Amino acid sequence: MPTQTMKAIRLHEFGGPQVLRHEEVPVPEPGPGEVLVRVHAVGVNPPDWYAREGMPNVPAELKPPMDLPLIPGTDVSGVVEAVAADADGFAAGDEVFGLLRFPTALQAGAYAEYVTAPASDFARKPAGVDHVRAAALAMSGLTAWQFLIELGHDHPSPFQAAQHRPMALDGEKTVLVNGAAGGVGHLALQLAGWKGARVIAVASGGHERFLRELGADEFIDYTKERPEDVARDIDLVLDTVGGPDSRRFLRTVKRGGSLYPVYFGEFDDEENAKLGVTVTAAQVRSNGAQLAELGRLLADGTIRVAIDSTFPLADARAAHERAAQGHLQGKIVLTVA
């Protein structure tokens, strides 16, 4: 068994990146159905900084419980250290990766040397994929998969009663991905292309070469022209930026098409119905089986994960500062020695 203490990043108050502290804390013990994993890499995601800030813009009734002190993080890749007696599928020494406890816990204690989570949240890490790329794949890959390929659960979005049902993608479909260079966007672009769709990528000009290398058929530089003004007759818009401005894409979608805002915005059901556009969103959920499928696509080169930057665990503050600068190309990852 590991030593009884470990290094982890904790916050004792909500605020900016400066509240992230590198501290000595107890090693967690796996509960029923859980595994203990020695962490090698941690993916950094928007919910991490939302939690760090205390989710100031979220209504109290929608906020998940967040007790301080809090160890942030949900995405890990590492090696199984111990397995609860009733946990199936893994043994000590297995290399695994996962999105942990999401969204039942907004944060799962992943910014640490060890973490526990249900065995069902993990998938085996392919041998040819390093820990950094595996950790980077988890939340972003599952978000893209559950929006575009298979939802895999029947939980409604907290922002909408309508059930999300991914559009069947094929060679007859055109998909526009807004925010295509980011974590979810660059993976969604590749998954849509894998299904045969024609893909239009929207990002700033510096990302064009990167996105065309990933398979974008067309590129729109939003700093030079507004995508909602130039794109028309689109079957599906995946808006990874989302929010209040997402409804501007309604005019680009053909009748019978769909608009999926990853961060749900403000829509008028009557307007959507009049235009003949389906607007639905999903909340990504942990799913080891789906991660295993994504892992296979990553291992065989069908998709690739771009790494914007890496930081040692102790420098989590610097990683969050990098995230705040925006214009990411892929994912930020924390490495754990």
Side-chain angles (χ1 to χ4, degrees):
M1 286 295 293
T3 56
Q4 296 303 301
T5 62
M6 65 178 182
K7 293 291 188 181
I9 298 295
R10 288 204 298 182
L11 52 120
H12 297 258
E13 59 184 325
F14 299 119
Q18 74 279 358
V19 303
L20 298 173
R21 301 187 195 174
H22 191 230
E23 300 180 334
E24 198 90 10
V25 301
V27 173
E29 293 187 9
E34 294 184 351
V35 296
L36 173 70
V37 170
R38 171 70 167 93
V39 178
H40 285 270
V42 185
V44 176
N45 296 293
D48 303 358
W49 53 87
Y50 299 158
R52 189 202 72 223
E53 295 166 349
M55 303 182 73
N57 299 320
V58 176
E61 65 272 14
L62 294 178
K63 286 186 184 182
M66 291 190 296
D67 297 323
L68 296 175
L70 174 73
I71 300 174
T74 58
D75 283 8
V76 302
S77 182
V79 179
V80 174
E81 184 83 16
V83 181
D86 61 343
D88 295 326
F90 299 108
D94 288 344
E95 293 191 323
V96 296
F97 69 116
L99 165 64
L100 311 183
R101 305 180 188 275
F102 200 85
T104 50
L106 183 70
Q107 301 293 289
Y111 285 24
E113 291 179 322
Y114 293 91
V115 70
T116 60
S120 58
D121 289 355
F122 290 98
R124 292 182 186 278
K125 182 184 74 64
V129 175
D130 61 36
H131 286 294
V132 168
R133 288 187 296 153
L137 179 64
M139 178 177 279
S140 292
L142 282 175
T143 301
W145 187 271
Q146 290 173 16
F147 267 88
L148 295 182
I149 308 298
E150 177 198 19
L151 184 59
H153 62 78
D154 58 5
H155 298 271
S157 163
F159 304 104
Q160 183 187 35
Q163 181 70 289
H164 178 74
R165 291 183 175 82
M167 174 184 290
L169 299 178
D170 54 35
E172 302 299 315
K173 301 291 196 306
T174 297
V175 177
L176 183 146
V177 179
N178 186 42
V184 174
H186 85 289
L187 291 164
L189 180 160
Q190 295 174 79
L191 289 176
W194 168 59
K195 287 295 186 180
R198 175 174 169 267
V199 184
I200 302 171
V202 178
S204 57
H207 296 304
E208 180 173 5
R209 180 177 177 183
F210 163 66
L211 293 170
R212 288 195 181 277
E213 288 175 351
L214 292 182
D217 298 288
E218 189 177 330
F219 177 81
I220 298 174
D221 180 352
Y222 71 82
T223 68
K224 294 182 177 178
E225 52 189 355
R226 296 165 63 89
E228 67 271 24
D229 291 340
V230 295
R232 285 290 180 274
D233 295 323
I234 306 299
D235 294 286
L236 171 62
V237 171
L238 180 71
D239 183 6
T240 73
V241 178
D245 291 337
S246 195
R247 66 189 298 171
R248 67 196 167 115
F249 286 107
L250 287 170
R251 72 180 87 163
T252 74
V253 180
K254 66 169 59 170
R255 180 167 289 276
S258 296
L259 168 57
Y260 301 159
V262 173
Y263 301 98
F264 206 75
E266 299 169 3
F267 292 91
D268 182 326
D269 289 342
E270 289 187 13
E271 179 187 23
N272 298 346
K274 185 177 179 180
L275 294 170
V277 175
T278 299
V279 180
T280 56
Q283 184 169 50
V284 64
R285 301 187 77 88
S286 301
N287 190 312
Q290 290 179 336
L291 262 187
E293 294 189 63
L294 281 160
R296 285 189 285 272
L297 294 177
L298 185 60
D300 69 17
T302 300
I303 62 173
R304 68 183 178 96
V305 178
I307 305 301
D308 177 271
S309 47
T310 62
F311 297 85
L313 178 67
D315 292 341
R317 173 178 175 172
H320 278 228
E321 289 169 344
R322 167 67 193 108
Q325 294 169 1
H327 298 285
L328 302 184
Q329 187 166 288
K331 294 297 299 286
I332 300 171
V333 177
L334 300 174
T335 57
V336 186

